[in-house]
Amino acid sequence: MGKTLHVLITVFFTSFGWSQNLKLPTGDTLRVSQIAQKQNLSQLNVLQFDFDENGYMWAGTEDGLNRFNGYNMYTYSQGTDEASGLTDDHIRGLLYRNDTLWLGTNTHAVQAYIPSQNRFIHFREHEKIASDASLSFTHGIYEVSSRYLLAATLKNCTLIDRKSGEITTLPLPKPAANDYVLGMINHSEENIWLGTYFNGILKLNLQKMTIEDMPQFNTLDNNPVHAFQKSAANEVLIGTQKGLFKYSFSSEELQLIGQPEQESGIRCFFDWNKDYYLLGGTKGIKFLNKQTYKVKPVVLGGFEKEVFSPVEILQVKQDAGGGVWMGSQGKGMFYYHPDRQKFTPQRIELKNEPEKDFISIFNFLREGQTLWMATAIGYVKHDLSSDTYDLYRTNKLGYTLVKDSQGQIWGGGFDLGLEKYNRQKDHFRDLTPLTGIPDRDVAEIIPLSQDSMWVSTWASGIYSVNPQTLEAQPVKVNGKDLHRSRASFIGKDGTIWLGADDGLYRISGSETRQYTHKSGSEGSLSNDRVFSITQDENNNLWIGTAQGLNKLDLQTDEITSYLEQPGLPNDFIYGVLADNNNDIWVSTNRGLSKLDPTTETFTNFTEQDGLQNNEFNGKAAYKDSLGYLYFGGMNGYNKFHADSIPVNTYAGKTIIEEVELFGNPIDQNVIYTDTLSFDHDENVITFKFTALNFLLPQKNTYQFKMLGFDKDWRPVTKERTTTYTNLNPGTYTFLVKGSNNDLKWGNPDALVLTIRAPWYATAWFKAFAILLLLLLITGIYFYRYNLKKAENVRLHKMVEGRTAELRKTNNDLGEAMLLANKQKDNIAFLMQELNHRVKNNLQLIASLLDIQKESIFDESARDHLQAAQNRLFTIAAIHDLLSAKNPRGHFRLNDFISSLTSELVNFMDEGVDLDFKLEPFEVHKKCITPLGIIINELVTNSLKHAFPNEQEKKEIHISLSAEEETIRMDYKDNGTGIPKDIRNDSNSLGFNLVENLAQQLKGNLEIIEAPEGTHIVIRFKC
């Protein structure tokens, strides 16, 4: 067992000492918080306690071991498994050093608990302890050096060597039946003074391993010695059951401090600050002056006016955050922190006044060392130098107090009217009847100049009053009486701002603007009821309303609203002030709140921080010329300077304490665990965490995120638990960070979480599946390859057979192609010969017609022969065009018309000017013959009949254009025109031919009436 013990308990000495910077309480009460049954403390006798490196407070009681996280206790109790658990609930000694919690139990000797391993080590089976029953009764655990721990057992000192694990028992000299060590002090490196229950003070020599009697302290025999404290005057203070003693090293004298009959037992010392010790004893606590040794009595009191008296304080220690802890007999634990009470509530103290405890305050005015207050029962003058109060009773509610530029104080209120303070007679006079103002409810007084101040009434609007003559004139705002204007502010530029029940008014010269709440509209007031107005150094106006705080940027005229949801404790804003740091303070129905405009974060304060009450009053917000802020309410007022408010800079460590799976805690020591792993179906996981800041832990806030799941930190919350569901397989990191009561954030705690994939989604299964798939694909590939190979062999043979057949067929086709080409050449030759013969025949016929025409003298016959000759000429021209090579079978119509017309005019040898406006068109060859004949008929008709012999200028105009889906041809001449009898003559061959040919082209012919000549339009499709 010795080797195992050596491995388990080898630790290094760590001192839990911090510099003291504590002030004495201003009164006779030290305000503390009690930790007792409400926090699940297992029992109210806290005999010893200590702190671990995480910041947990551990307390031993007569009914279990307790670990405190600031919210509640986690209790370790005696269980059925005595081999691995706590074996004795009655813990009389407790000391934490280097991940080991040493416990002295009442009947089961020394035990050690290792939090990182969550297991207990028992020493009762050690041969030395097992051989002496008195060694099982342990009354305390003390650290005597970096090597040894001392267990205070009955009639013995049990030394535990933390390096070797050896146990040494040293008997007390002249042991009484129930004698044991109560306290100790290191007199030197090797000599330890021990305070005992019956034997006074003994000396432990670590080098000789002996305990010796010290005769100079024999007077302390039978006087239990609990504690020691070295002083700077080469003395040591000794706390005993029968009072406080001091021992001088220079004179070697022991002296009792104080009167024996007045002294109570001293159980412990605590170095409070450079001037005082705190003494804990059987009748409470007291402060001892280090120089004079004079005692300052003090009692322990709560923050709800309760007083814990009498309280026997057994031990006092300070934690890493500067908080002072006290363990007591029968009252649990007490906690004091110098930064707890940020504010000091002040109340109006009036002699012989029944209302002195609850005088509601509405307005302030500071004048030098005098603070004036308007209250629910009249005006109060507070002399700041003498701290006295004088009441000017009216039994009516005073609502406003101001001082004008002449130094005159004015007041007003409900049913008070307008009042003026007479300094010589020291009283307020009602001047309302002299002003003629009909309303005696005055809500606001606004000094503007030497000749004018505005008096705002509750129901009759605003009046301008001359302070000298008291003449009053109504003031219209936006052309109306402004009622219930209770708030005002005069800007640096002289702008008047007024707050009423229907919004905010800005009055600059003759211009007035109203700001109101517009439902569903951003950039408007959050509410129309305005209670307070102030301005900061950044040219922003701050407006407190019945529902939210508003910032009006005077440069951009934009309004930003702050409501309860983003951080305000309450939306009903009574007062708004800007401190010298440009932070904004607001009073509400749920305490005070400070807004940092830069970060837009709120710090909230309640009655727990020293406020007069959580509820404040309207108009009860005031800032004096020295930068002090005043806020009044129903139970007094708070006066403070923003720079003097203590700030808790210690955030404490944030720890993930517990992890639950489907609502049940997992069996793992999560506090000391970095990673967790779960199966894929174990995906409803709850995390419980805490920030180890003991100063107002209910104000601690938290943020968390799951890396791999959350994109960003979740919103700030006071909840200390969160649940994630349906996490996909993978690795995540849960991060959580906490802030203290003053929103100072600590470092996050991290826990790596692995959700194992199901077997079918694991890497090895996926690899196996991929391998199997590859094998399957390979098998299919080779199977299809062999099939394809066999098919290719069959096809190859088939191709060879077909190739032989095709080769023979190709040879036959080649011979046939040679024969066809030879026949084609013959046909081409025949067609060429045929065209030549047709052309010759047409020319022959034309010549015959020309000869015949010369032998005929009948004009009608000659005309008919001429017409036939022209038609034959046209047909010949068309034949030449069609016989030309044109692989597309289309012809350019514009070229054809211009060419044919020109040839006809030249053929008939007429002096006619031709004008063409022909858009390019391509037409099928089947359209050429009808179009050619139409052109022939029209041109021939113009040449023969249109132009008289005496007409000098003869013109023919032909144009082509697109018209919808047809081609339009316009034919014009400047001749005599077509006689109507010829148009209507059904026997006219020419017109009938043209109409028939136009119809053949899926078109029509139209004769256009013209002032001179002929205009014919033919529309056709080709």
Side-chain angles (χ1 to χ4, degrees), residues 944-961:
K944 287 174 61 179
H945 305 290
F947 305 113
N949 292 330
E950 65 276 9
Q951 186 171 340
E952 294 181 359
K953 188 174 181 60
K954 303 174 184 179
E955 297 177 352
I956 294 177
H957 303 273
I958 303 176
S959 64
L960 279 177
S961 61

Side-chain angles (χ1 to χ4, degrees), residues 342-353:
K342 300 180 181 298
F343 307 94
T344 301
Q346 301 189 43
R347 293 175 175 85
I348 298 173
E349 297 181 1
L350 300 172
K351 297 179 180 180
N352 303 319
E353 293 291 343

